[in-house]
Amino acid sequence: MMEGVRRAVAKFLKGGGVYEKAVDAFLRDLQRELIKADVNVKLVLSVTRSIRERALKEEPPPGVTRRDWMIKIVYEELVKLFGGEQEPQVEPPKTPWVILLVGVQGSGKTTTAGKLAYYYVRRGYKVGLVSSDTHRPGAYEQLKRLAEEAGAMFYGEKEGDPADIARRGLEELLQRGAEVVIVDTAGRHGHGEEAKLLEEMRAIASKVRPDEVALVIDASIGQKAMSLAERFHKSTPIGSIIITKMDGTARGGGALTAAAVTGARIKFIGTGETLSELEPFAPRRFVARILGMGDLESLLERIRSLEEASELDKAAEDVLKGRITMRTIYRQLKAMRKLGPLGKVLQMLPGASMLASIDEGALKLGEEKMRRWMAIIESMTYEELDRPDIIDKRRMRRIAIGSGTSVEDVRELLTYYKNLKTMMKKLKRDKRLLRRLGMEI
């Protein structure tokens, strides 16, 4: 979503010519990308008008160029557009804490219930999942499987009154010591046909008296998120919103801004299919990623939530400090399956997405390639692990024979290592610039 914004930022910062004309050209690109992301046209015109006015009037502090200052203005105005500076409160204010998930069919509620369970289990809470959806075939089995994968307790019934099932499930899970209980509900009606669904939500809410009602919205519905959120809010006051499938649509901007306009806090966004791909939504992080400044905080938070946290923290620290060796890459490869594609991880690093010189395809590692590269690294000497630059053609042949791979495989890994080193040098320069602008994320 809005990948063109990063290109527009890079073009603006590298370009020359008259400043005012460059600002107008950039704002046209920004308008095009926001509208493509289904952001309301009035909101788009309002935010770009505000950016232009500030960009032409404000004087940057000494040592900062007008173009760099312009990007800071864009950052601040887009943060306002996507909900403001305030970050969502994701930790339960008390225990037990009961979350009722509501939403229409196909929004991804059941998967989100599993992701939420995984999220809180990894933070040390005893979590219980309740399946009260008796309408969708397979809902019971799906949530039961997700509960097992997440390490959460489970309660469900395949038939009966959903409100009574939810109440019984809550009672049982609380008796079993649950600190966070997540109630999954039916979503059998499409957009605009929610009358019976809303009635069911009210009945369930009256029986379980949730501490939080979370509306789950599919990012692909775009601006319709506003009317959907308003209708649900009238039925069962919405405490938070979770936007799903952000990785699979170009219309996510419309859903985010529309939901933000309702005043309900967007608490989480789903960024992929695996249980770990749910993250708290902070507008400043999201905007930083759109602009190509990355999101170190989200990356490190996600890293810490995984079993290999200590190893990954060290790898992340090595990368951010420019201490990249084959040991660093080996740790990355080991953790890759849990973190997701490296391209997605690197997008969270400041400036990474703005590096046009790095071939994006080179960052997409398949399972077989990861296996070969790990075998290659395991065949290196200690000196080669710490100083990969010393590996010449003779060493490549020896490593290839020892690892059961080809010289071309070894060369490909070394090219990846050099690309990563080049990228990190630029990231360090970008980080210094962000610090001067007061925009460190």
Side-chain angles (χ1 to χ4, degrees):
M1 186 184 71
M2 292 190 274
E3 288 183 1
V5 176
R6 296 172 195 157
R7 292 192 293 272
V9 168
K11 185 172 103 177
F12 176 76
L13 290 175
K14 293 174 184 175
V18 180
Y19 175 70
E20 185 172 344
K21 288 184 178 178
V23 168
D24 288 339
F26 171 81
L27 290 177
R28 283 195 295 272
D29 288 339
L30 180 62
Q31 287 174 342
R32 190 180 305 114
E33 290 300 317
L34 290 173
I35 290 171
K36 197 189 299 181
D38 203 36
V39 178
N40 182 277
V41 174
K42 288 183 180 177
L43 287 176
V44 172
L45 293 176
S46 174
V47 73
T48 51
R49 193 181 304 118
S50 179
I51 290 170
R52 188 178 192 279
E53 187 176 326
R54 289 184 60 190
L56 298 181
K57 284 184 178 179
E58 293 181 11
E59 287 296 326
V64 175
T65 69
R66 292 188 78 187
R67 287 177 187 258
D68 288 337
W69 190 252
M70 160 73 173
I71 298 304
K72 174 182 169 67
I73 291 169
V74 173
Y75 168 78
E76 291 174 347
E77 293 297 328
L78 289 182
V79 167
K80 287 182 196 173
L81 176 68
F82 286 104
E85 289 283 346
Q86 187 180 347
E87 298 202 8
Q89 181 182 347
V90 295
E91 295 295 326
K94 68 178 184 68
T95 56
W97 188 257
V98 181
I99 302 171
L100 178 65
L101 293 186
V102 299
V104 297
Q105 187 175 26
S107 59
K109 281 192 311 302
T110 302
T111 301
T112 298
K115 289 183 175 183
L116 276 176
Y118 181 90
Y119 183 88
Y120 285 116
V121 165
R122 290 300 175 275
R123 276 150 186 77
Y125 292 95
K126 290 186 71 175
V127 181
L129 284 168
V130 178
S131 174
S132 68
D133 183 355
T134 58
H135 300 278
R136 180 170 68 88
Y140 173 96
E141 286 79 8
Q142 182 187 0
L143 193 62
K144 186 177 182 181
R145 175 179 54 79
L146 290 171
E148 290 171 359
E149 291 179 16
M153 296 178 282
F154 173 78
Y155 180 93
E157 297 176 27
K158 296 182 180 180
E159 296 178 349
D161 178 66
D164 289 333
I165 293 171
R167 177 182 54 77
R168 287 192 290 271
L170 175 61
E171 290 172 354
E172 179 172 315
L173 290 171
L174 291 179
Q175 286 173 3
R176 291 163 62 186
E179 296 170 307
V180 176
V181 178
I182 301 160
V183 181
D184 183 30
T185 61
R188 61 193 182 281
H189 303 284
H191 178 76
E193 303 172 2
E194 304 96 10
K196 291 182 180 177
L197 176 60
L198 294 175
E199 186 180 324
E200 187 174 290
M201 295 307 99
R202 278 194 296 270
I204 294 175
S206 68
K207 290 285 180 78
V208 301
R209 298 191 177 279
D211 299 292
E212 176 183 350
V213 178
L215 173 61
V216 180
I217 296 176
D218 182 341
S220 66
I221 71 170
Q223 293 181 47
K224 291 179 182 177
M226 185 188 298
S227 60
L228 183 66
E230 286 172 346
R231 278 198 293 281
F232 269 90
H233 189 67
K234 288 175 184 174
S235 178
T236 51
I238 303 300
S240 61
I241 291 176
I242 300 173
I243 308 282
T244 64
K245 309 176 188 177
M246 284 291 292
D247 59 316
T249 180
R251 304 179 72 194
L256 288 169
T257 52
V261 167
T262 67
R265 174 63 51 188
I266 302 171
K267 195 167 186 177
F268 290 97
I269 56 173
T271 57
E273 295 180 2
T274 65
L275 287 181
S276 64
E277 291 179 303
L278 180 79
E279 61 184 57
F281 177 70
R284 61 189 180 85
R285 299 183 192 177
F286 179 73
V287 170
R289 209 178 298 174
I290 289 174
L291 296 179
M293 296 170 192
D295 184 359
L296 290 173
E297 200 172 329
S298 273
L299 173 61
L300 295 177
E301 182 177 309
R302 190 170 168 200
I303 286 171
R304 283 193 292 268
S305 74
L306 303 173
E307 285 79 8
E308 295 179 346
S310 58
E311 195 170 20
L312 285 174
D313 277 339
K314 190 173 189 315
E317 186 182 341
D318 285 349
V319 168
L320 296 176
K321 291 185 177 178
R323 297 194 304 256
I324 301 171
T325 67
M326 283 298 167
R327 297 180 195 272
T328 309
I329 292 175
Y330 189 79
R331 282 193 288 266
Q332 287 180 336
L333 292 171
K334 277 183 68 177
M336 194 77 73
R337 237 167 292 152
K338 291 182 179 179
L339 269 175
L342 184 60
K344 182 182 287 188
V345 175
L346 287 178
Q347 281 184 8
M348 298 178 181
L349 296 172
S353 54
M354 292 167 60
L355 293 180
S357 60
I358 303 285
D359 179 12
E360 199 171 311
L363 299 177
K364 295 178 180 176
L365 304 181
E367 188 69 32
E368 180 59 27
K369 182 180 286 188
M370 284 193 278
R371 187 194 63 75
R372 288 199 305 271
W373 282 11
M374 289 177 74
I376 289 169
I377 296 172
E378 287 166 357
S379 297
M380 291 180 181
T381 65
Y382 290 148
E383 187 179 20
E384 288 163 348
L385 288 173
D386 294 325
R387 298 170 56 210
D389 294 319
I390 68 170
I391 299 175
D392 54 18
K393 290 182 180 178
R394 181 179 57 80
R395 289 176 184 260
M396 282 188 203
R397 282 195 295 273
R398 192 206 79 241
I399 292 168
I401 293 169
S403 60
T405 60
S406 67
V407 171
E408 188 55 42
D409 288 328
V410 179
R411 187 177 289 113
E412 187 180 28
L413 172 59
L414 290 172
T415 300
Y416 175 84
Y417 157 76
K418 288 171 184 173
N419 282 345
L420 199 56
K421 268 188 79 172
T422 301
M423 185 185 298
M424 289 310 121
K425 285 179 183 176
K426 185 178 187 305
L427 296 189
K428 287 178 80 173
R429 291 197 297 271
D430 288 350
K431 191 175 180 183
R432 286 196 294 272
L433 174 60
L434 289 178
R435 190 181 296 119
R436 285 167 62 195
L437 290 172
M439 293 170 61
E440 277 200 286
I441 309 306

